[in-house]
């Protein structure tokens, strides 16, 4: 199973370098002692003998169905659909393909992709609309025990991407958000943030409601900054890096 997965998409370092190294080099690399980040090994143990075939459960359902249902979010570098061929590519897509190769004895493309917003993802997983999420999803205690929207606890793999909350804004509002200042000239601070994300929860803990504009998706938060719905956005540092890359800056 492990050999099938790696043979088609590469190991973690190779997947990361293929999609991100030219954009954000080294961010998720090996910790040399100067960072709190840990190197992720998302494929788990290197087993030479695969486990016995299960006759019940999710894995058995996938095998019987003959296709893996993978929940993603369309986002540059993570999951991108070619409008001409209809094929997907990206960091998250490679993990779906690795699972397919492992489950179906070396066939990496027996996957159906479903684009899910942050508010849709856990309900779709709980309802069985998708078998697994391969998208930006923060590991939290509540999601592990009883995720609020679905009232269900979920199992997480080892983390495969590390990021954190950051702010980007039109001067002086980026500084206002960074310093948690809503006084004086910062009283007009308006932060766009994606609905159903841990970013939203954290921003709501840090700022009054009148300074927050909730968007359906994190990608729409960046559009909100461009069209004047807000003067700052909250998201991951990778979101800002990728947005800047796309803009040519």
């Amino acid at each position: 199973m492990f050999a099938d997965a790696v043979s088609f998409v590469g190991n973690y370092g190779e997947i990361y370098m293929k999609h991100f190294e030219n954009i954000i080099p080294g961010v998720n690399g090996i910790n040399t002692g100067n960072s709190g980040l840990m190197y992720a090994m998302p494929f788990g143990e290197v087993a030479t003998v695969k486990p016995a075939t299960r006759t019940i459960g999710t894995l058995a359902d996938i095998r019987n169905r003959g296709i893996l249902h993978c929940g993603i979010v369309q986002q540059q570098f993570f999951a991108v659909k070619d409008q001409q061929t209809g094929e997907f590519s990206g960091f998250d897509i490679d993990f779906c393909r690795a699972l397919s190769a492992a489950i179906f004895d070396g066939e990496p493309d027996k996957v159906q992709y479903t684009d899910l917003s942050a508010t849709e993802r856990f309900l779709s997983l709980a309802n069985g609309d998708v078998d697994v999420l391969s998208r930006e999803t923060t590991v939290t205690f509540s999601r592990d025990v009883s995720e609020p929207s679905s009232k269900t606890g979920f199992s997480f793999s080892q983390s495969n991407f590390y990021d954190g909350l950051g702010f980007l804004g039109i001067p002086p509002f980026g500084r206002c958000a960074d310093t948690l200042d809503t006084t004086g000239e910062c009283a007009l601070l308006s932060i766009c943030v994606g609905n159903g994300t841990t970013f939203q929860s954290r921003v709501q803990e840090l700022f009054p409601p009148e300074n927050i504009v909730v968007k359906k998706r994190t990608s729409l938060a960046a559009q909100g900054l461009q069209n004047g719905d807000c003067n700052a956005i909250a998201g991951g540092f990778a979101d800002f890096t990728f947005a800047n890359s796309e803009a040519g800056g």
Side-chain angles (χ1 to χ4, degrees), residues 170 190 192 213 215 220-232:
I170 301 168
S190 179
C192 282
V213 179
K215 294 291 187 178
L220 296 179
Q223 294 181 21
L225 182 63
Q226 296 173 353
N227 62 30
D229 290 345
C230 50
N231 47 41

Side-chain angles (χ1 to χ4, degrees), residues 64-203:
N64 291 335
R65 186 195 308 133
I67 192 165
L68 170 70
H69 292 166
C70 207
I72 60 169
V73 59
Q74 291 195 55
Q75 182 179 356
Q76 186 71 4
F77 302 104
F78 286 93
V80 179
K81 185 176 183 179
D82 188 306
Q83 296 304 314
Q84 293 185 337
T85 65
E87 295 182 355
F88 283 91
S89 63
F91 184 74
D92 293 338
I93 300 303
D94 275 353
F95 282 92
C96 295
R97 298 183 73 243
L99 275 174
S100 174
I103 294 170
F104 297 112
D105 298 322
E107 297 187 56
D109 296 315
K110 301 186 77 169
V111 188
Q112 177 178 307
Y113 300 102
T114 302
D115 186 26
L116 299 170
S117 69
T119 54
E120 296 169 332
R121 55 185 165 174
F122 292 114
L123 286 172
S124 293
L125 188 58
N127 293 337
D129 298 328
V130 295
D131 302 308
V132 64
L133 296 178
S134 181
R135 67 186 304 287
E136 289 182 297
T137 299
T138 305
V139 181
T140 68
F141 178 76
S142 63
R143 290 172 175 176
D144 187 61
V145 177
S146 181
E147 190 277 324
S149 67
S150 62
K151 309 301 181 186
T152 302
F154 298 98
S155 297
F156 288 83
S157 69
Q158 292 179 326
S159 299
N160 62 18
F161 196 87
Y162 293 90
D163 206 345
L165 174 64
F167 299 100
L168 179 70
I170 301 168
F173 299 107
R175 174 186 58 78
C176 296
D178 278 335
T179 57
L180 309 182
D181 189 356
T182 56
T183 63
E185 65 177 355
C186 295
L188 296 177
L189 174 65
S190 179
I191 304 171
C192 282
V193 63
N195 190 26
T197 64
T198 50
F199 297 140
Q200 179 194 11
S201 301
R202 187 60 178 144
V203 167

